[in-house]
Amino acid sequence: RRYVAGGQCKSTARLEGKVAIITGANTGIGKETARDLARRGKVIVACRDIAKAEAAASEIRAETGNQQVIVKKLDLADTKSIREFAEKFLAEEKELHILINNAGVMLCPYSKTADGFEMHLGVNHLGHFLLTFLLLECLKQSAPARIVIVSSLAHHGGRIRFHDLHGEKSYNRGLAYCHSKLANVLFTRELARRLQGKSQRRAEFTANALHPGSVHSELVRHSFVMTWLWKIFSFFLKTPQEGAQTTVYCAVAEELDSVTGQYFSDCQPAYVSPWGRDDETAKKLWSVSCELLGIQWD
């Protein structure tokens, strides 16, 4: 059990006066990440399902005694919702110190977002790409700040299929998830490169990605087979609390103050696939993402 649990974040860093946003924080590792950060400072729980989010936030407030656990509506499958979330946040908050792009979908039957993007790519990559873009100036003004992107070991099986990004020619939901997780790694890599280039002090802005481990959570709910396997082999899976450790580590660990563009697993650097280290693909994905979202991000 101890081996399965993996690495643990041992940082006791406090976040008084700081603000963190966590997407998809109403369940699973997102909720456990919110629970941990709520013991340290102010947390914005950004979720599509407000009822579930309020229930999770209420539980966290009661347990931690921190009333600064605030729920905000965010549907990453709809760019209108993302823009509305960012607009309201920027109107109400002066600073943002930690942005955790945690929410995700997995093994969805073929479907598209409100904007016509394939669901895995749209939610896991493009939604978080747009959210980060809209909040970046606030992060810069609040520096030092951190952007944490929850990817997966599954990125090893991914490829960026520019000729069929939305799976209209061929679609496999397992591969679609892998492709989106590779997009997370490439986005992190290119974002870190661009932030480093514009910052005179490397520690001002950092962007890191991570693999949380195989976690017993609701993420596999779209697959009957995976749900069944998850139940059978639950002893060999991390609990959501164990799965949240690397996310928390990337968000608060003092030793990562000047570390950027890296990929972590079990609270330590991990191997990135050759495709996840391809700078040309990262640059092209950045350009294509901007085009799809109708934004200019130089």
Side-chain angles (χ1 to χ4, degrees):
R1 181 68 248 175
R2 191 178 300 168
Y3 174 78
V4 170
Q8 187 172 14
C9 178
K10 296 177 181 176
S11 172
T12 57
R14 302 292 302 166
L15 300 175
E16 279 97 350
K18 295 191 174 184
V19 180
I21 289 176
I22 308 170
T23 67
N26 61 346
T27 186
I29 64 173
K31 180 179 175 183
E32 295 307 318
T33 301
R35 194 192 308 275
D36 185 290
L37 295 193
R39 296 188 178 100
R40 305 170 191 260
K42 184 173 181 176
V43 177
I44 308 292
V45 174
C47 299
R48 178 175 56 86
D49 190 324
I50 291 293
K52 273 190 175 181
E54 286 289 0
S58 178
E59 178 188 318
I60 292 169
R61 287 186 211 111
E63 184 179 318
T64 63
N66 181 4
Q67 298 307 304
Q68 292 292 291
V69 180
I70 300 165
V71 172
K72 300 284 184 186
K73 171 84 171 177
L74 172 65
D75 183 355
L76 287 160
D78 186 347
T79 58
K80 183 182 176 184
S81 173
I82 298 168
R83 290 182 179 279
E84 286 175 353
F85 169 86
E87 188 178 328
K88 287 178 182 175
F89 174 83
L90 295 172
E92 295 168 5
E93 301 287 342
K94 293 187 174 70
E95 295 184 313
L96 174 60
H97 304 89
I98 301 170
L99 172 61
I100 300 178
N101 291 329
N102 163 82
V105 294
M106 180 180 181
L107 302 174
C108 299
Y110 189 76
S111 56
K112 290 187 173 181
T113 68
D115 301 274
F117 308 139
E118 187 277 316
M119 189 62 70
H120 293 89
L121 184 79
V123 171
N124 298 354
H125 169 61
L126 291 170
H128 282 127
F129 188 96
L130 178 60
L131 179 66
T132 305
F133 167 74
L134 295 171
L135 298 177
L136 192 66
E137 282 305 313
C138 186
L139 283 158
K140 285 182 178 180
Q141 291 166 15
S142 311
R146 299 186 187 191
I147 299 165
V148 179
I149 299 175
V150 179
S151 180
S152 170
L153 183 68
H155 85 269
H156 286 271
R159 306 289 185 274
I160 304 302
R161 303 167 70 248
F162 289 109
H163 67 287
D164 189 24
L165 270 180
H166 303 295
E168 292 168 330
K169 296 177 182 176
S170 66
Y171 180 76
N172 176 290
R173 53 186 177 174
L175 288 176
Y177 176 71
C178 295
H179 301 333
S180 71
K181 294 290 102 177
L182 175 60
N184 289 156
V185 172
L186 291 168
F187 172 41
T188 305
R189 188 177 183 87
E190 182 64 8
L191 177 60
R193 186 187 71 80
R194 287 168 177 256
L195 291 178
Q196 235 179 309
K198 294 188 177 182
S199 171
Q200 299 197 353
R201 287 188 301 129
R202 191 179 175 200
E204 281 192 349
F205 322 105
T206 63
N208 291 299
L210 66 103
H211 167 55
S214 297
V215 181
H216 197 280
S217 71
E218 295 179 11
L219 192 59
V220 297
R221 64 187 178 277
H222 292 292
S223 169
F224 171 78
V225 173
M226 288 295 287
T227 301
W228 183 66
L229 288 171
W230 247 227
K231 286 181 180 178
I232 291 176
F233 296 105
S234 60
F235 183 79
F236 299 100
L237 300 173
K238 291 184 178 183
T239 65
Q241 191 270 337
E242 290 163 350
Q245 293 303 301
T246 306
T247 306
V248 174
Y249 175 74
C250 288
V252 305
E254 299 89 339
E255 61 266 34
L256 299 187
D257 279 346
S258 60
V259 175
T260 191
Q262 299 301 306
Y263 171 75
F264 293 86
S265 179
D266 282 329
C267 301
Q268 59 187 2
Y271 179 74
V272 177
S273 77
W275 297 275
R277 289 179 267 125
D278 188 327
D279 288 333
E280 289 309 309
T281 301
K283 289 173 186 173
K284 185 175 180 180
L285 178 63
W286 185 283
S287 176
V288 170
S289 299
C290 287
E291 191 177 325
L292 287 169
L293 292 164
I295 59 176
Q296 287 188 317
W297 189 356
D298 299 321

